[in-house]
């Protein structure tokens, strides 16, 4: 669909994010209008590989404020959070600390994050997890690798090792998350699960398990085995790699 680049603010958001010196009404200045047109054309022709992170961010941010040069904000966000993934997965309160990152900007970034997680999750839900292992790891990294605090999730599987539930069991601090083995196994019984995969992240980026991680895993394994539920694995997600308890001999 052909669209004029004489843009007005998107109707989904208010205009509370106008720059200190608002542009006059009418057509956008050519340097903004033509820049946006070129970015869109490059993205449509070459996809994400054709754009560096700051230009991908600009494309996202155009929707948040149609009458502003978003390049400075894109660079500021990248400087604060490292890369595109770090920006879209940053907590809203941290994003709000960046000048000019108002509610509309934060909403756009969180929408992209939610869409990415939903897409990754759809590739494993109701599928045989053990034969879709790479898709499972992709989903775990998408959902957890850039979090600034620990999160503990349990993937519940049926007798055919099909994923039937993906549930967050706890949130914690930068280096600890409370986990209750009894509750993990109790929930498995409630939904008639036959197997479990445990997943949690290490915000430090190093997926090496702590002794507390190892002890907690063995406690869940013992409780699950007593009730006929198999613990397939415990995966720790780091910034750029993961560790499997099963592959590394901890289970």
């Amino acid at each position: 669909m052909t669209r004029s680049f004489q843009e007005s603010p998107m109707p989904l958001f208010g205009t509370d994010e106008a720059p200190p010196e608002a542009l006059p009404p009418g057509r956008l200045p050519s340097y903004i209008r033509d820049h946006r047109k070129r970015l869109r054309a490059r993205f449509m022709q070459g996809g994400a590989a054709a754009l560096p992170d700051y230009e991908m961010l600009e494309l996202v941010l155009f929707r948040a404020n149609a009458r502003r040069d978003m390049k400075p904000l894109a660079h500021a966000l990248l400087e604060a959070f490292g890369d595109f993934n770090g920006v879209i997965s940053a907590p809203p309160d941290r994003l709000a600390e960046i000048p000019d990152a108002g509610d509309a900007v934060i909403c756009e970034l969180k929408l992209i994050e939610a869409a990415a997680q939903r897409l990754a999750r759809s590739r494993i839900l109701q599928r045989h997890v053990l034969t879709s292992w790479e898709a499972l790891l992709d989903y775990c990294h998408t959902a957890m690798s850039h979090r600034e605090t620990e999160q503990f999730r349990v993937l519940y599987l049926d007798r055919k090792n099909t994923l039937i539930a993906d549930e967050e069991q706890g949130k914690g601090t930068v280096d600890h998350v409370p986990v209750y083995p009894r509750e993990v196994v109790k929930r498995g019984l409630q939904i008639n699960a036959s197997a479990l995969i445990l997943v949690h992240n290490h915000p430090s980026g190093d997926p090496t398990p702590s002794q507390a991680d190892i002890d907690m895993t063995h406690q869940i394994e013992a409780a699950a085995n007593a009730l006929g539920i198999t613990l397939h694995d415990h995966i720790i997600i780091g910034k750029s790699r993961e560790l499997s308890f099963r592959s590394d001999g901890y289970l």
Side-chain angles (χ1 to χ4, degrees):
M1 177 176 66
T2 301
R3 179 181 174 189
S4 167
F5 289 99
Q6 182 177 344
E7 299 184 44
S8 58
M10 295 296 290
L12 181 61
F13 304 107
T15 57
D16 58 324
E17 292 192 39
E21 295 183 5
L23 294 170
R27 291 178 63 83
L28 287 171
S30 61
Y31 76 92
I32 295 180
R33 184 176 65 251
D34 295 344
H35 175 63
R36 293 183 175 192
K37 185 176 181 179
R38 287 193 299 270
L39 277 190
R40 288 176 173 131
R42 283 170 50 204
F43 177 74
M44 294 306 296
Q45 291 170 7
L51 302 178
D53 278 3
Y54 80 90
E55 289 182 335
M56 283 281 289
L57 272 179
E58 281 189 82
L59 281 177
V60 174
L61 297 174
F62 290 165
R63 287 176 49 86
N65 191 316
R67 299 195 55 77
R68 181 179 187 159
D69 180 1
M70 304 306 285
K71 185 182 295 185
L73 178 56
H75 281 294
L77 289 166
L78 287 171
E79 183 177 350
F81 301 108
D83 59 15
F84 185 88
N85 291 337
V87 172
I88 66 170
S89 59
D93 58 337
R94 291 284 313 282
L95 290 168
E97 295 172 359
I98 306 302
D100 301 322
D103 290 345
V105 165
I106 294 171
C107 183
E108 285 296 334
L109 295 173
K110 294 294 99 182
L111 180 61
I112 297 298
E113 180 190 27
Q117 291 185 11
R118 186 165 295 186
L119 177 60
R121 187 170 183 268
S122 72
R123 292 172 175 163
I124 61 170
L125 193 62
Q126 298 300 326
R127 297 190 182 184
H128 191 286
V129 168
L130 300 186
T131 58
S132 305
W133 197 250
E134 289 303 317
L136 173 66
L137 294 179
D138 286 345
Y139 166 63
C140 293
H141 276 281
T142 299
M144 304 173 72
S145 65
H146 285 81
R147 292 181 60 91
E148 296 182 340
T149 56
E150 286 199 13
Q151 180 190 57
F152 185 84
R153 308 178 75 91
V154 182
L155 309 181
Y156 293 98
L157 314 177
D158 65 12
R159 293 183 182 278
K160 296 181 180 180
N161 286 321
T162 297
L163 181 65
I164 56 175
D166 162 25
E167 299 186 358
E168 180 182 296
Q169 291 287 326
K171 295 180 180 179
T173 64
V174 295
D175 59 2
H176 174 72
V177 60
V179 178
Y180 304 98
R182 180 176 179 275
E183 294 303 315
V184 171
V185 177
K186 178 182 176 181
R187 179 58 178 157
L189 291 175
Q190 290 174 344
I191 61 176
N192 199 30
S194 296
L196 311 172
I197 297 175
L198 312 177
V199 188
H200 86 279
N201 63 308
H202 278 182
S204 68
D206 180 3
T208 303
S210 65
Q211 188 58 51
D213 292 335
I214 296 170
D215 293 344
M216 174 267 294
T217 303
H218 290 161
Q219 291 170 12
I220 293 177
E221 182 182 34
N225 286 342
L227 296 172
I229 298 176
T230 301
L231 175 60
H232 280 315
D233 208 342
H234 182 175
I235 302 169
I236 300 180
I237 302 296
K239 290 291 185 186
S240 59
R241 64 187 180 94
E242 71 285 336
L243 180 140
S244 160
F245 270 54
R246 183 71 63 187
S247 296
D248 283 55
Y250 293 101
L251 278 176

